[in-house]
Amino acid sequence: MVYSRRGSPGSRLLLLWLLLVYWKAGSGQLHYSIPEEAKHGTFVGRIAQDLGLELAELVPRLFRVASKGRRDLLEVNLQNGILFVNSRIDREELCRRSAECSIHLEVIVDRPLQVFHVEVAVKDINDNPPRFSRQEQRLFILESRMPDSRFPVEGASDLDIGANAQLRYRLNPNEYFDLDVKTNEEETHFLELVLRKSLDREETQEHRLLVIVTDGGQPELTGTVQLLINVLDANDNAPEFDKSIYNVRLLENAPSGTLVIKLNASDADEGINKDIGYFFSNLVLDDVKSKFIINSNTGEIKVKGELDYEVCNSYEINIDAMDKSAFPLTGHCKVVVKLLDVNDNTPEMAITSLFLPVKEDAPVSTVIALITVSDRDSGANGQVTCSLMPHVPFKLVSTFKNYYSLVLDSALDRESVSAYELVVTARDGGSPSLWATASVSVEVADVNDNAPAFAQSEYTVFVKENNPPGCHIFTVSAWDADAQENALVSYSLVERRVGERALSSYVSVHAQSGKVYVLQPLDHEELELLQFQVSARDAGVPPLGSNVTLQVFVLDENDNAPALLAPRVGGTGGAVSELVPWSVGAGQVVAKVRAVDPDSGYNAWLSYELQPEPGSARIPFRVGLYTGEISTTRSLDETEAPRHRLLVLVKDHGEPALTATATVLVSLVESGQAPKASSRASAGAVGPEAALVDVNVYLIIAICAVSSLLVLTLLLYTALRCSAPPTEVVCTRGNPTLVCSSAVGSWSCSQQRRERMCSGEAPPKMDLMAFSPSLPQGPASADNVSFLILTSNFPSQFLNIKCHIHPVFLKNYALVHKYCSTQLLH
């Protein structure tokens, strides 16, 4: 081994060499050497140790070796990290006659990915003996040739290099010939057989000589060739060339017919013995004859076949110039044709070790692929550079000579770009340059980095009370920008308590479809607003989610009949007794019927009617349509019946209307026996009516104060809507604009209406409900328009009132404003 980590510690030179090896190992490159023809298992180097890798991590990190070309020459033992020879290495087969011969390895480990380059130099050994192209060479020499005449002999070749290819020739001892070896500036051997003594054909017609060639290797190897010399009678002077060797430089790919050289030989003889013909020597190989052609008359050598520098970069052509005498003499020369490289080979590119797909959260500098480029040309024509289009978000990093890594240059986002089509261009340094391209498709793998998103943060749903169990009221839908399971959304309730019960006892949501169902009938009187959240979660790891708020308003239905308030006797049909003096005047209030309705809006807006008994005379009493106050229609006299039984029908405005009946017994007595009307009125005002009168004043002042702003708001709302909303809304979406409505026309609400807002965030708020009346023709009065507050403590909570105005109110706004103005004047 030429490169080794073992040696004498006392050698300073070896120590410096070891430091150099360690430095190169740390930089990601190792250099070893191995002689060719080494046996299987021959130790090359401790590659794992030199790269700084632990033996225990070779297998888990997927330690592997890749080489360009044949992959079985060298191998690594994963147990001890030693690089060894795996199969026969023939330097001549691997690199031909190149002065340098190396095997380039790529060592790749994962987790994290690292790439190391290892260069193993293959050293030549003397394993090829010198060889002649023929076992026998035949020469024809005239006996008249003078001593010192020279005759070319084909030399031997050795596939080895360096000292192993330095050849020495010798000729077996004889008295006629010597062997002269010349070397030109190209270190090419030119052998000549030198005549030392004149030949005599009559004495010896044939001479047999043995040429022995020996190389400079250890041990030496030899080769031989038999020279068979026939002695001829003929000319005194042979043709002679100006030079014995002609050097010609020619571009490769020269077209057929291109002139290589024009030879010219001269002969001192006269006549026919002076005429010369030019021929390829019988030493010229058939491969050379297929590339070139010679004109026997002119001596012009031209290109015949295709020349390729990458196949063979030089040719040696032996030429004979022969005169035309009966016994011709021959002159000899050699033409050495050297080809010049042209840029006729495009770069070659190989993309290996693709690490795809790439996660969108991959860090910058992550290696995506390994790229190897090469060019068969030489010099600048074989120098290749790589470029990448487009540049973002990737780049090419040169790692070693013609090796590149495709790495991530900036962050990825699959939701923006899910795949990239990259084009790698390899361009050589020739003029003009040649290039090759390769496409790389990089797919971006999704990670769960987007939470499901709803179109709105809050939805409003209207549901009629007494709905059937399992009613579908709404469908929530969330969208996730991720892909596959990261975009698979499931829905669930955000559980909480609604009063004493769990939210899941009221509603449920389908996990896949997002449909929201009401599990039981809802009661508006118990629950007016159910506010809850639905959670959307994706199936990623870890999962991401978001919430949306649903406000479910329970719309009232007329499912409660009016209820009479005390004093009363029993339920429906109970009697109220009143004592009225005979002297009472017309329009005097003598009694009042009190009733409430647990419903809301029109369903809780009560009206009172006096029902005449069959067969009874015209009675002198009437009842207020909306107040329930019973008053006289005229002055009473002694002709009136002393007892009157009045039936008052209390009816709400629901569809269909529900009713209750109150019985009032009026007894006419002398003035001293009946309580005063004012006292009775005062006693009656101590109860809820007193609070109601007080709050009417506050309510009128508040409405009139904001009337101007209300007009502008209602006009703008009308312009946007352009049409009135439907009077009946079930399972719809949008902002609530109607809480209570009435087709009869008045402002009213139940005295005992309790609003329960089940949002879990704030206490109930006071509601002021406005209704647009459809009144009969005539002046407005207190019976036409009345104002009722929800609770008796209105003054202390006046600032918490919220108004829900139905658009129909616009039609009768003038009537309300007129009434407000009249009340303020009084």
Side-chain angles (χ1 to χ4, degrees):
M1 305 300 297
V2 176
Y3 294 89
S4 173
R5 293 184 175 269
R6 300 176 181 176
S8 174
S11 175
R12 179 173 299 180
L13 180 60
L14 180 58
L15 179 60
L16 292 176
W17 177 84
L18 287 174
L19 291 175
L20 177 62
V21 170
Y22 275 113
W23 178 83
K24 290 192 173 182
S27 65
Q29 301 178 14
L30 290 180
H31 296 269
Y32 299 106
S33 66
I34 186 73
E36 67 172 332
E37 303 296 342
K39 294 181 180 180
H40 173 75
T42 300
F43 173 89
V44 178
R46 300 184 183 275
I47 188 170
Q49 178 180 345
D50 295 341
L51 293 176
L53 301 176
E54 296 294 335
L55 295 180
E57 65 181 359
L58 296 184
V59 174
R61 292 188 63 185
L62 301 180
F63 182 96
R64 55 195 183 276
V65 176
S67 63
K68 185 177 179 182
R70 294 185 59 184
R71 299 178 180 269
D72 59 346
L73 297 179
L74 300 172
E75 190 55 69
V76 175
N77 187 330
L78 297 182
Q79 302 301 320
N80 54 24
I82 291 177
L83 181 67
F84 63 93
V85 176
N86 187 45
S87 61
R88 176 177 175 269
I89 301 176
D90 188 352
R91 185 189 184 285
E92 288 71 33
E93 178 183 350
L94 192 64
C95 303
R96 298 184 180 180
R97 293 185 57 83
S98 175
E100 295 181 359
C101 184
S102 298
I103 300 174
H104 294 281
L105 304 177
E106 285 182 354
V107 177
I108 305 172
V109 291
D110 293 335
R111 306 177 191 142
L113 178 67
Q114 290 180 283
V115 180
F116 303 93
H117 296 278
V118 179
E119 184 178 19
V120 180
V122 180
K123 299 301 181 181
D124 182 54
I125 64 173
N126 194 25
D127 59 337
N128 291 282
R131 297 182 184 275
F132 292 90
S133 61
R134 297 178 178 84
Q135 294 182 352
E136 182 181 274
Q137 297 184 27
R138 184 179 296 272
L139 301 176
F140 298 91
I141 302 176
L142 291 174
E143 63 177 345
S144 60
R145 296 297 296 267
M146 300 298 293
D148 293 329
S149 296
R150 295 174 175 269
F151 309 94
V153 177
E154 181 187 12
S157 62
D158 195 325
L159 296 179
D160 296 322
I161 63 170
N164 296 329
Q166 293 179 1
L167 305 181
R168 303 187 304 275
Y169 296 87
R170 57 190 176 88
L171 188 65
N172 65 320
N174 65 92
E175 62 179 323
Y176 290 98
F177 297 95
D178 284 336
L179 189 62
D180 185 20
V181 180
K182 294 181 179 180
T183 302
N184 62 3
E185 64 272 18
E186 302 295 338
E187 296 185 359
T188 301
H189 296 292
F190 183 66
L191 276 64
E192 290 183 326
L193 194 62
V194 181
L195 182 63
R196 296 302 182 190
K197 180 181 178 181
S198 298
L199 300 176
D200 186 358
R201 183 177 177 277
E202 287 71 25
E203 181 179 349
T204 305
Q205 294 185 0
E206 187 177 86
H207 297 268
R208 291 185 176 271
L209 304 176
L210 184 64
V211 177
I212 302 172
V213 59
T214 304
D215 62 24
Q218 293 294 332
E220 296 180 345
L221 299 179
T222 61
T224 60
V225 65
Q226 185 79 31
L227 297 182
L228 182 59
I229 301 173
N230 293 324
V231 181
L232 303 177
D233 286 335
N235 264 330
D236 295 330
N237 297 287
E240 293 183 358
F241 291 95
D242 298 336
K243 299 178 181 179
S244 59
I245 298 177
Y246 294 90
N247 291 303
V248 179
R249 296 184 180 273
L250 184 66
L251 290 176
E252 68 167 327
N253 299 335
S256 179
T258 299
L259 178 64
V260 178
I261 191 173
K262 183 177 181 180
L263 299 174
N264 184 30
S266 59
D267 196 315
D269 295 328
E270 298 290 339
I272 194 173
N273 293 330
K274 190 176 182 179
D275 295 336
I276 300 173
Y278 301 90
F279 307 96
F280 286 131
S281 169
N282 55 4
L283 302 177
V284 176
L285 301 177
D286 292 338
D287 179 63
V288 177
K289 292 180 180 179
S290 66
K291 304 295 183 184
F292 303 94
I293 189 173
I294 188 171
N295 188 317
S296 60
N297 295 324
T298 63
E300 292 180 346
I301 299 177
K302 295 184 178 180
V303 176
K304 176 183 178 183
E306 182 180 353
L307 303 178
D308 190 349
Y309 177 88
E310 287 71 39
V311 175
C312 182
N313 58 11
S314 66
Y315 296 91
E316 295 183 0
I317 309 174
N318 291 298
I319 304 297
D320 291 341
M322 186 179 298
D323 58 28
K324 298 182 179 179
S325 66
F327 300 98
L329 297 178
T330 304
H332 311 280
C333 75
K334 177 182 287 189
V335 178
V336 178
V337 179
K338 287 204 169 184
L339 299 184
L340 302 178
D341 182 52
V342 297
N343 195 23
D344 59 344
N345 290 282
T346 58
E348 297 177 356
M349 191 166 14
I351 301 177
T352 58
S353 300
L354 293 176
F355 302 96
L356 298 175
V358 183
K359 288 188 176 182
E360 62 177 317
D361 62 349
V364 175
S365 300
T366 297
V367 177
I368 309 301
L370 302 178
I371 302 173
T372 305
V373 294
S374 61
D375 196 313
R376 296 178 59 198
D377 293 322
S378 301
N381 297 332
Q383 295 177 357
V384 182
T385 56
C386 282
S387 60
L388 178 68
M389 289 295 292
H391 298 288
V392 177
F394 304 96
K395 67 178 180 179
L396 287 177
V397 176
S398 178
T399 57
F400 177 73
K401 292 185 179 178
N402 291 333
Y403 294 88
Y404 291 84
S405 294
L406 177 63
V407 300
L408 186 61
D409 191 36
S410 60
L412 299 174
D413 184 7
R414 189 205 65 83
E415 286 69 42
S416 299
V417 182
S418 61
Y420 294 88
E421 292 295 331
L422 307 179
V423 177
V424 180
T425 302
R427 186 182 300 272
D428 61 29
S431 181
S433 63
L434 301 178
W435 68 89
T437 60
S439 298
V440 180
S441 297
V442 179
E443 180 183 355
V444 182
D446 182 57
V447 296
N448 194 24
D449 57 348
N450 290 279
F454 292 93
Q456 299 177 208
S457 61
E458 183 178 285
Y459 293 94
T460 301
V461 182
F462 296 93
V463 181
K464 280 188 175 182
E465 67 173 331
N466 303 321
N467 56 280
C471 172
H472 170 230
I473 63 171
F474 193 70
T475 300
V476 294
S477 178
W479 177 79
D480 197 310
D482 294 321
Q484 297 176 352
E485 63 274 1
N486 294 332
L488 186 61
V489 180
S490 61
Y491 305 91
S492 63
L493 284 177
V494 178
E495 188 61 82
R496 67 177 185 85
R497 304 293 295 180
V498 180
E500 299 298 327
R501 302 171 61 182
L503 174 65
S504 57
S505 65
Y506 287 96
V507 292
S508 68
V509 60
H510 192 272
Q512 282 73 41
S513 65
K515 291 184 177 181
V516 181
Y517 299 93
V518 178
L519 301 180
Q520 62 182 13
L522 300 177
D523 188 356
H524 174 80
E525 287 71 42
E526 177 186 347
L527 184 66
E528 291 190 16
L529 174 62
L530 180 60
Q531 181 170 299
F532 59 92
Q533 288 187 325
V534 175
S535 174
R537 291 289 183 274
D538 57 32
V541 178
L544 300 178
S546 60
N547 295 342
V548 66
T549 300
L550 266 67
Q551 290 189 1
V552 180
F553 286 89
V554 182
L555 302 182
D556 182 59
E557 287 190 337
N558 195 23
D559 57 349
N560 291 282
L564 299 174
L565 298 178
R568 63 186 179 87
V569 179
T572 304
V576 177
S577 296
E578 294 287 346
L579 298 179
V580 178
W582 289 93
S583 60
V584 69
Q588 181 68 42
V589 176
V590 297
K592 184 169 185 176
V593 177
R594 301 177 182 87
V596 294
D597 194 318
D599 293 324
S600 301
Y602 287 160
N603 298 328
W605 187 21
L606 304 181
S607 63
Y608 302 85
E609 298 178 8
L610 194 60
Q611 300 291 321
E613 292 188 357
S616 63
R618 183 171 178 270
I619 59 176
F621 300 101
R622 67 179 180 182
V623 64
L625 179 60
Y626 300 111
T627 64
E629 295 178 344
I630 299 174
S631 60
T632 58
T633 58
R634 55 186 171 81
S635 298
L636 302 179
D637 54 31
E638 296 181 356
T639 61
E640 297 289 343
R643 293 175 63 84
H644 294 274
R645 189 171 185 270
L646 306 179
L647 296 179
V648 178
L649 179 67
V650 183
K651 181 174 62 174
D652 61 26
H653 286 76
E655 290 293 341
L658 300 180
T659 63
T661 304
T663 302
V664 180
L665 299 177
V666 179
S667 299
L668 300 179
V669 297
E670 295 299 331
S671 299
Q673 299 177 359
K676 294 183 178 180
S678 60
S679 300
R680 182 171 60 249
S682 300
V686 173
E689 288 85 349
L692 182 61
V693 172
D694 292 336
V695 299
N696 281 341
V697 176
Y698 289 106
L699 184 60
I700 292 171
I701 294 174
I703 294 177
C704 294
V706 299
S707 60
S708 58
L709 295 177
L710 184 62
V711 170
L712 296 177
T713 304
L714 295 176
L715 290 177
L716 178 61
Y717 183 87
T718 303
L720 294 175
R721 289 294 184 178
C722 297
S723 63
T727 59
E728 196 171 64
V729 183
V730 179
C731 301
T732 60
R733 294 163 49 184
N735 294 325
T737 59
L738 170 62
V739 173
C740 302
S741 61
S742 173
V744 177
S746 179
W747 293 16
S748 177
C749 72
S750 173
Q751 287 179 330
Q752 293 187 357
R753 175 185 175 200
R754 293 182 177 90
E755 179 133 9
R756 299 183 181 180
M757 299 291 187
C758 299
S759 64
E761 297 175 357
K765 294 184 179 180
M766 306 296 294
D767 273 2
L768 170 64
M769 293 158 287
F771 308 94
S772 60
S774 299
L775 299 176
Q777 297 293 331
S781 67
D783 291 342
N784 297 126
V785 180
S786 68
F787 301 88
L788 298 179
I789 198 64
L790 298 181
T791 62
S792 61
N793 59 347
F794 172 76
S796 64
Q797 299 182 12
F798 183 75
L799 295 179
N800 292 328
I801 293 178
K802 62 176 182 179
C803 295
H804 302 274
I805 308 301
H806 193 281
V808 181
F809 172 72
L810 289 173
K811 298 180 181 179
N812 295 286
Y813 175 79
L815 177 61
V816 176
H817 188 273
K818 179 179 179 181
Y819 177 75
C820 294
S821 301
T822 303
Q823 294 296 325
L824 289 175
L825 290 175
H826 292 165

